[in-house]
Amino acid sequence: MDSIDLKIIAALKKNAKQNTKEIASKVGLSVSPTFQRIKKLENQKIIKGYVAVIDQKKLGTGIIAFCQISISKHSKEVIDIFKNVIQDIDEVLECNHVSGSFDFLLKIAVTDMDHYHNVVVEKLTSVDGVLNIQSNFVIEKSKDEYLS
Amino acid sequence: MDSIDLKIIAALKKNAKQNTKEIASKVGLSVSPTFQRIKKLENQKIIKGYVAVIDQKKLGTGIIAFCQISISKHSKEVIDIFKNVIQDIDEVLECNHVSGSFDFLLKIAVTDMDHYHNVVVEKLTSVDGVLNIQSNFVIEKSKDEYLS
DNA sequence: CTTGAAAAATGTCCCGT
DNA sequence: ACGGGACATTTTTCAAG
């Protein structure tokens, strides 16, 4: 792992559909070693995979909300139940267990406020142990990078 | 845009390195129409691009924090200055202007607490108009999908 | 690491239905 | 729109300097 690997990662983080030749010229190597480095990064799972970036506004799910959720007990059971339920809620894009004044920070994509209401009231508040939900809606996203 | 397109999108959202044949079999079409649909989704910018997913823990930046930031004035100038400064802070992965009890929700990746302290104190609190920063650190991420 | 070659796999496009 | 098939490009492997 050196600066060339970091350049390869930076390039693929922006656009994964570049061919090896393009990446090679960006990092100042020829195709062969570039190819080998990419494969190595993939095998080491430093590059975990490749995904398509979807414009959810064009799919009608343009409203993004962050939900701060507090749970009643910090037992493994309550936490595991919550995490399991979350997996099957399509509207939840991201679920982070966090430290601080609340327990989970969720990122949710919905089409409109009825949809949002449905997700929060029907799907989230009904989960065992969920005490409190506080939401913030995204007005504008001004930076976005994907790391996982 | 029909249910087949949605299936294609779902497949590519999980793994963009599948070849057209694999996607075709998943959606129940042959290669040609599948290929044409993918190209159409790309041209319509419903698929905005393809990116590599990087395991930041293996790069040493394993600590993720969400920062709630309040600013002093909701004028266009203050907001624009803040957004501009953010673009050049590598540690900031995401910047959302949100409604609610604070103004911006940032997602930040750092290597350790010194690094975090440096980003918050040196880079964020010094920005004009920044009043208050409250942070929550991610203990565990249990779901993660990428939409933009 | 570089260059270059070659095979296999895939992407891409045209045409018939 | 779909499907088949031909052709172009890339990926992947490999050898020699």
Side-chain angles (χ1 to χ4, degrees):
Chain A
M1 170 63 60
D2 56 13
S3 70
I4 294 178
D5 283 338
L6 290 175
K7 279 186 194 172
I8 291 173
I9 288 171
L12 289 173
K13 216 165 66 173
K14 283 187 185 166
N15 175 16
K17 277 283 157 97
Q18 301 170 88
N19 62 36
T20 318
K21 200 193 291 179
E22 289 174 293
I23 295 170
S25 77
K26 281 182 188 164
V27 304
L29 290 179
S30 63
V31 172
S32 293
T34 306
F35 177 77
Q36 285 164 15
R37 280 167 181 265
I38 294 171
K39 288 299 146 193
K40 193 174 172 189
L41 291 168
E42 288 171 358
N43 291 334
Q44 294 173 183
K45 309 277 183 202
I46 291 171
I47 296 174
K48 292 171 77 174
Y50 301 89
V51 298
V53 180
I54 306 301
D55 186 335
Q56 87 280 358
K57 282 185 190 170
K58 294 190 176 155
L59 292 183
T61 52
I63 300 180
I64 302 288
F66 285 93
C67 299
Q68 302 172 4
I69 297 185
S70 302
I71 55 175
S72 59
K73 278 170 66 181
H74 293 177
S75 68
K76 191 176 184 312
E77 293 154 271
V78 171
I79 289 172
D80 284 349
I81 288 173
F82 182 78
K83 289 194 297 188
N84 276 330
V85 173
I86 286 306
Q87 300 302 322
D88 296 327
I89 304 178
D90 288 339
E91 290 89 350
V92 175
L93 303 180
E94 215 175 290
C95 174
N96 298 284
H97 186 190
V98 298
S99 69
S101 51
F102 52 95
D103 300 300
F104 288 94
L105 182 63
L106 269 53
K107 189 177 183 178
I108 295 181
V110 290
T111 58
D112 52 41
M113 283 302 168
D114 276 352
H115 189 187
Y116 169 75
H117 186 252
N118 173 264
V119 172
V120 170
V121 174
E122 304 292 331
K123 299 184 179 177
L124 290 177
T125 57
S126 63
V127 180
D128 258 6
V130 168
L131 274 187
N132 192 279
I133 301 180
Q134 198 181 317
S135 299
N136 296 89
F137 292 94
V138 174
I139 299 169
E140 186 200 24
K141 170 181 287 181
S142 51
K143 187 170 186 178
D144 197 14
E145 282 193 44
Y146 194 38
L147 288 184
S148 173
Chain B
M1 170 63 58
D2 56 15
S3 70
I4 295 178
D5 283 338
L6 290 175
K7 279 186 194 173
I8 291 173
I9 289 171
L12 289 173
K13 215 165 67 173
K14 283 187 185 165
N15 174 17
K17 276 282 157 99
Q18 300 170 88
N19 61 40
T20 318
K21 201 193 291 178
E22 288 174 293
I23 295 170
S25 76
K26 280 181 189 166
V27 304
L29 289 178
S30 64
V31 172
S32 292
T34 306
F35 176 76
Q36 285 165 15
R37 281 167 180 268
I38 294 170
K39 286 300 148 194
K40 194 174 171 189
L41 291 168
E42 289 171 359
N43 290 334
Q44 294 173 185
K45 309 278 185 202
I46 291 171
I47 297 173
K48 292 171 78 175
Y50 301 89
V51 299
V53 181
I54 306 302
D55 187 335
Q56 87 279 358
K57 282 184 189 168
K58 294 191 174 153
L59 291 184
T61 52
I63 300 181
I64 301 288
F66 285 93
C67 299
Q68 302 171 4
I69 297 185
S70 302
I71 55 175
S72 58
K73 278 171 66 182
H74 293 177
S75 68
K76 190 176 186 311
E77 292 154 272
V78 172
I79 289 172
D80 283 349
I81 287 172
F82 182 78
K83 290 195 296 188
N84 275 330
V85 173
I86 287 304
Q87 300 302 322
D88 295 328
I89 304 179
D90 288 338
E91 289 89 349
V92 175
L93 303 179
E94 215 175 290
C95 175
N96 297 285
H97 185 190
V98 298
S99 69
S101 51
F102 51 95
D103 300 300
F104 288 94
L105 183 62
L106 269 54
K107 189 176 183 180
I108 295 181
V110 291
T111 58
D112 53 40
M113 284 300 168
D114 276 353
H115 188 187
Y116 169 76
H117 186 252
N118 173 264
V119 172
V120 170
V121 174
E122 304 292 331
K123 298 184 180 178
L124 290 177
T125 56
S126 63
V127 179
D128 258 6
V130 168
L131 273 186
N132 192 280
I133 301 180
Q134 197 180 319
S135 299
N136 295 89
F137 292 94
V138 174
I139 298 168
E140 187 201 25
K141 169 181 287 182
S142 51
K143 187 171 187 179
D144 197 15
E145 284 192 44
Y146 195 38
L147 289 184
S148 173

